[in-house]
Every structure is written in structure tokens, then in C-alpha cells.
Amino acid sequence: MPLPQADFQSLKQRIPIDRVLARYGVKLRPAGPHTLSGACPLPTHTSQHSRESFSVNLALRVWSCHSASCIAARNDRIGGHVIDLVAILEGCGLRQAGLRLQDWFDGRATDPPPVREPARTCAPAASNPPLNFTLQGIDTGHPYLVQRGISPSTARLFGVGMYRGAGFLTGRCVVPIRDENGRLIAYAGRAVHGERPKYLFPAGFRESHVLFNLDRARHTGGSNVIVVEGFFDALKVHQAGHAVVALMGTSFSQRQLDLLASYFPQVTLMLDGDPPGRRAAEIIAQLLLPTTPVDMAALPQGVQPDQLSSTEINSLLARTTVAL
């Protein structure tokens, strides 16, 4: 007699994660549009200082735990879908978890509330309000930009250049940062003579609530976006002719995931070719894969996109591999 089978794809699409967690008595609090967070309910969680590390994205139907113990227990995977969740909570295999979900919900979860439908737009981050000023006297033709391989047209388009005015960014190369709707929300200042820190941001600015250059990338008309770490990585990939956004580091927040999923059906990760960059790319891919196809562009050891020419960038992108 053939063993009973579970329709994994259907289960992942129709069964809300919060309904499953409710069966276990797990209570989470709202943490943003379509997002819940709270204490991690997983038996793999042994970290003492990261209890509030569990989150659920209702629109994307994925969950994650950012504690070191849960990540290590799942071979560096931060989260997953509803079947993964039940398998961990029940201590069983994926097939058994799928069958239990079928038994529990058996057609009763096919019509979730509208809030769980994937959103095509995201509300702007309240913590990064628009600025009420613009810096004047930015030198977009400064030799530093030429040294970094940034063309005059790219510098003018992005408004990047040396700032000679007064304030904490004096003597730094400033980079205007806009939200997904094109509103100016901050300036970052890059040291050009080895000063520390390398980058200065305004007090209270939250990098995790924005993707640099998303306002331009979302209007290119393409289905794919390249994700890089830094500002100058993004400038160089833009010069090579691609839609690109930058994380402003290797961390990846729930809001950044929401923004990517809202505007692009395909993502290519092109993070730095060092251990932190490669580890971050693997983690980000696992977070995106439940809903978004992901390709990986592997840079040579120690190489960053901003060190490459347009020809080299295009050559790497032509050899991407599919993340699994």
C-alpha cells in the first residue's frame, strides 16, 4: 500500500503560520506591517540573551529566529516555512509534518484574511522621516570619485561628492540616501583619508529600514535586482547597467526582505567575497527562497564589487548559480 503523501506547496501557500502557532499556545505581538515577533518557541532555542528573536511575516508566510542556538541547530538557516516549523516543534520529519498539517487543517485554511495577501507596496519607515533640508556645495567631480572608478554622470545622478560645508560631514564624501518613494531621508559620510569610523550616519538613522537606491531600481522595469553591501558597490553595479540596491552592511532585516519581495520577483545576491559576505549571502538566500527565486554571484576571495570594472561585473553576473 502506498504511503500517504502531503502536498507541500499547497500547505505552504494556504496555511497561515500564526494559526499553527496558536495550536501550540504561542502568542506574538505586532511588529510592523504583516509582521509578528516575540519569544522563540522552538526547542532548539537555548540562547539566554536573545529570547525576543522570533518573527513571522504573515504576507510572505515565513518565520525566522535570529538566535545563535537556533541558527546553529538548523545548519545556519535562520528560518523557513510552515512545514519546517511543525517539523521542529513536533520533532519529526518534513513528510510527517506535512501530513499532520493536512490532518489539522484539511481544507479549513484556504481563505486567510486579506492582511496575509502579499503586499505590492510597503509603507515608509516612520523611524527615517524625510529631511527638511539638502546639503549645498557637494563636489561631484572630486578626484576621490575618479579614484574609486565613479563616472561624472553617475556621481551627478546619485548626488555623491565631497562636502565642504559645515557640520559633522565636513571633509567627507557624502552619499544621499532616499526611501523607496524617492524622499531624501539621510546623508552618509565616507572618510577619504582613513578617518574612523569609515562611515558616519545621522543620529537615529536606521539602515535596516531602507535599501539604498531602491527608489531608482524599482522603476527600471526589470524583474531582477542585484543586492550588494555598500554604496560604492551599488554605484559600480549601476554603471555596469543593472538595477541594484545596497544593504549598507551584511545584516538583513525583515523590512528589507519585505521591500525586496514587494518590488522584485527575482533577486541576485552579489555580496563581498569575504567570509562575512559569503555567510550573509547564504542566510539572506534562505530567508528569501520560500517566496523569491535567488541567484548567487560568487566573487573571488577578498574581492568587493566596487573593485571591479563593468566588464568584470557583467562577466560574474553571467555566471550566477541558483541558490538552493
Side-chain angles (χ1 to χ4, degrees), residues 197-281:
K198 181 185 290 186
Y199 278 99
L200 281 177
F201 292 91
F205 175 70
R206 299 186 66 180
E207 300 100 310
S208 63
H209 278 220
V210 66
L211 290 167
F212 175 70
N213 196 48
L214 177 58
D215 58 311
R216 296 183 186 88
R218 60 178 284 217
H219 292 302
T220 59
S223 61
N224 183 62
V225 67
I226 314 300
V227 177
V228 297
E229 291 183 32
F231 300 117
F232 283 86
D233 298 325
L235 298 181
K236 294 295 286 289
V237 173
H238 168 84
Q239 286 184 174
H242 303 277
V244 60
V245 298
L247 300 174
M248 294 177 283
T250 57
S251 62
F252 187 58
S253 70
Q254 184 67 53
R255 174 163 174 78
Q256 289 172 325
L257 187 153
D258 291 344
L259 288 168
L260 282 176
S262 293
Y263 294 114
F264 300 100
Q266 175 79 32
V267 170
T268 298
L269 299 177
M270 194 178 193
L271 275 59
D272 294 357
D274 56 12
R278 290 175 176 172
R279 174 176 170 79

Side-chain angles (χ1 to χ4, degrees), residues 4-18:
Q5 299 297 313
D7 185 347
F8 279 21
Q9 192 62 32
S10 173
L11 293 171
K12 288 187 287 185
Q13 291 177 350
R14 69 184 178 86
I15 298 180
I17 293 177
D18 57 332

Side-chain angles (χ1 to χ4, degrees), residues 110-164:
T110 55
D111 297 309
V115 70
R116 297 186 180 101
E117 293 302 315
R120 300 312 302 171
T121 59
C122 291
S127 60
N128 289 324
L131 299 181
N132 58 8
F133 66 90
T134 57
L135 296 180
Q136 303 299 314
I138 297 174
D139 180 7
T140 60
H142 193 274
Y144 174 76
L145 296 171
V146 177
Q147 173 192 335
R148 297 293 302 268
I150 306 304
S151 70
S153 61
T154 297
R156 289 192 297 269
L157 175 66
F158 283 80
V160 176
M162 189 63 63
Y163 180 57
R164 301 298 188 187

Side-chain angles (χ1 to χ4, degrees), residues 29-81:
R29 63 182 182 279
H34 317 301
T35 305
L36 304 173
S37 67
C40 178
L42 305 181
T44 53
H45 191 109
T46 59
S47 301
Q48 297 300 312
H49 303 292
S50 58
R51 292 301 304 172
E52 301 291 308
S53 58
F54 189 81
S55 65
V56 171
N57 186 303
L58 299 173
L60 299 179
R61 299 175 183 272
V62 295
W63 61 271
S64 63
C65 178
H66 294 262
S67 72
S69 56
C70 285
I71 293 172
R74 303 191 68 235
N75 297 318
D76 292 338
R77 292 186 64 193
I78 283 183
H81 46 66

